[in-house]
Amino acid sequence: MTLFGSAVFVLALFFFFPVNSRPTGVHLRNMESFIRAVQQVEDSNPGLSPLALVRALRKTAGHDDEMTIHFLGASYNLSDSEGLERAILNATSFSFFDKAIHHIVTDQGEERGVVLAPDGTTVALAPLLLGIESGLKAKMEGTQAVGIFPLTLGRTLGLSFLSLQDLPPSFRLGPNGCWDNVEYPKMFKLPRPATIATDAVISGGMDGVILGMNISSLPASEQPRALSEILKGYYSFILHEGLGLDAVTSHVSPRRREISRSLLESLDLQSQVMETLALVWKLEKTEWIALDTGVGKAVNDGLKEFVHKYWDCPQIIPRCQWGAKPSRGTPIPLSLPLQFLYVHHTYEPSSPCLSFLTCSRGMRAMQRFHQQDRGWSDIGYSFVVGSDGYIYEGRGWNHLGRHTRGHNDIGYGVSVIGNYTATLPSRYAMDLLRHRLVTCAVNGGGLAANFTIHGHRQVVNYTACPGDAFFSEIRSWEHFRE
């Protein structure tokens, strides 16, 4: 067996039987397992370049479609100092690649080729690795990066817009899904039929754009890090107590939406997607794309929805992802748009949560308290803001909450995890609420454009919520009214 053949074989076995995982022997589909597997290959094969490794993964996963070959070359024709050859895989390793890298959605709604990232989001590996490979190819060859957007997002978005153009734009993207178990993830299922551009594929595409562009723009004197180190730096960071993302200057996964926007917004996305579709037609002889006179409108409408859903709106962790119990009653619908946004702090938990696991634990604790101690049907808040860079779904956009006595039917109640009597939430957490969630709510029809922000204490006499320090801060916010 060649050097690469043995490397892939080790990778396959390691991922299928991850070291120190529980339950023993179960194939866990999370990013940590994937990174450990990649590092095992690197440690076992000194000198294996990151470009050789991502090419090898593409080769064995069978991702040599016409567009990939156009920009990156056919993996089975590529050779380098490691002497890449087609790997000889047994049934076990085939199962690994089928589930870990090759993206499909089954008839039963299971999305494969995705992994759970440490931040609680789900990422498709194929577009992520294509973006990294594009950046590595440009860096190692000393050329300008080409094809990053078409390979990671452009083709997927364009085809999704066109394949479902008879549906409203909001149904041409997504959906998100949930794992069977976030500690030991084995299966990711979607709640409705999938588009080509599921949330996991778009997250993987945005990550591929970010990492590919980062790598391709490295100084000439700086060599790319090993693939495992690239992934660790982006996904396995540690936030600092009290500062959260305020102290992070590097590109990390909770910031994928704002970073990808900063990298791509200056491009004419309409032209970029149209050019990508023209290339798809040329390479794949997909004549229906060229003949359909409604392509431009479908792309324009789809991109407006993409910008709203994935750039204007923050990432919201759904109830099923943080482990919510079902509501004990029938949720009561709200009459939208609402006129008010009521700001809270949780008080307990008293410390900011800095990771998906701690934020999820806090959400479950609050729901238990609200359901069991207070006898409510569900967690009271509409949404909860963590200091991990994400917003957590409580009762959501459409259902009556129980957060601000006497005012629940006219406003959303949004709480920031922590006690902010003497200190402020992180700047990033406050911006998530003040700018991102509010913009999403107004553009999506949840809040009226002339909405009013109130602190909890302004309309309920017996509380000091959202804390003296935080209340003093929100008094300077646009839309605040005394």
Side-chain angles (χ1 to χ4, degrees), residues 32-304:
E32 294 99 322
S33 294
F34 182 70
I35 292 173
R36 288 198 303 268
V38 169
Q39 187 170 4
Q40 176 84 357
V41 174
E42 293 164 344
D43 292 345
S44 301
N45 298 274
L48 183 68
S49 75
L51 180 57
L53 186 48
V54 291
R55 282 174 171 171
L57 292 173
R58 171 162 64 96
K59 180 179 181 180
T60 54
H63 288 164
D64 273 10
D65 56 60
E66 288 85 351
M67 182 168 286
T68 304
I69 293 172
H70 175 78
F71 286 113
L72 300 178
S75 63
Y76 49 80
N77 288 334
L78 296 172
S79 60
D80 50 30
S81 58
E82 283 76 26
L84 293 178
E85 294 182 5
R86 190 170 188 82
I88 301 173
L89 303 175
N90 62 9
T92 299
S93 57
F94 176 80
S95 175
F96 155 66
F97 284 113
D98 180 49
K99 292 184 178 180
I101 302 177
H102 185 67
H103 184 267
I104 59 168
V105 178
T106 70
D107 293 340
Q108 291 72 41
E110 179 188 353
E111 187 172 10
R112 299 178 181 176
V114 301
V115 295
L116 177 64
D119 62 6
T121 59
T122 301
V123 176
L125 288 173
L128 165 67
L129 294 175
L130 287 174
I132 292 173
E133 183 177 349
S134 298
L136 289 168
K137 181 176 184 292
K139 171 62 179 172
M140 300 308 292
E141 295 178 356
T143 59
Q144 186 175 358
V146 293
I148 291 182
F149 177 73
L151 289 171
T152 55
L153 288 172
R155 182 179 185 276
T156 297
L157 291 177
L159 293 179
S160 191
F161 299 154
L162 294 187
S163 63
L164 299 170
Q165 58 184 306
D166 292 335
L167 297 177
S170 60
F171 285 88
R172 300 180 203 173
L173 297 168
N176 199 359
C178 277
W179 290 92
D180 54 342
N181 186 310
V182 294
E183 293 188 29
Y184 310 115
K186 294 180 288 181
M187 179 181 294
F188 187 71
K189 295 203 71 172
L190 304 178
R192 62 175 174 84
T195 68
I196 297 171
T198 65
D199 280 17
V201 169
I202 291 178
S203 290
M206 288 191 284
D207 292 349
V209 166
I210 294 166
L211 292 175
M213 289 188 173
N214 284 354
I215 294 166
S216 68
S217 61
L218 289 173
S221 59
E222 185 175 344
Q223 292 300 307
R225 294 177 296 166
L227 179 59
S228 62
E229 293 302 316
I230 293 171
L231 297 174
K232 283 180 188 176
Y234 186 73
Y235 292 107
S236 301
F237 53 89
I238 298 176
L239 297 178
H240 300 284
E241 185 70 37
L243 296 175
L245 286 169
D246 292 357
V248 178
T249 58
S250 59
H251 288 175
V252 293
S253 57
R255 287 181 160 165
R256 67 167 59 88
R257 295 191 175 203
E258 64 190 86
I259 298 169
S260 63
R261 185 173 202 159
S262 70
L263 294 173
L264 296 175
E265 195 169 34
S266 61
L267 302 178
D268 182 348
L269 289 186
Q270 174 84 13
S271 296
Q272 292 287 322
V273 174
M274 293 295 287
E275 289 174 9
T276 301
L277 289 173
L279 183 60
V280 171
W281 173 75
K282 177 182 177 182
L283 296 174
E284 301 180 10
K285 304 298 186 294
T286 315
E287 297 184 8
W288 60 272
I289 293 177
L291 295 174
D292 190 337
T293 57
V295 170
K297 183 180 186 306
V299 170
N300 183 63
D301 291 346
L303 284 173
K304 286 180 181 178

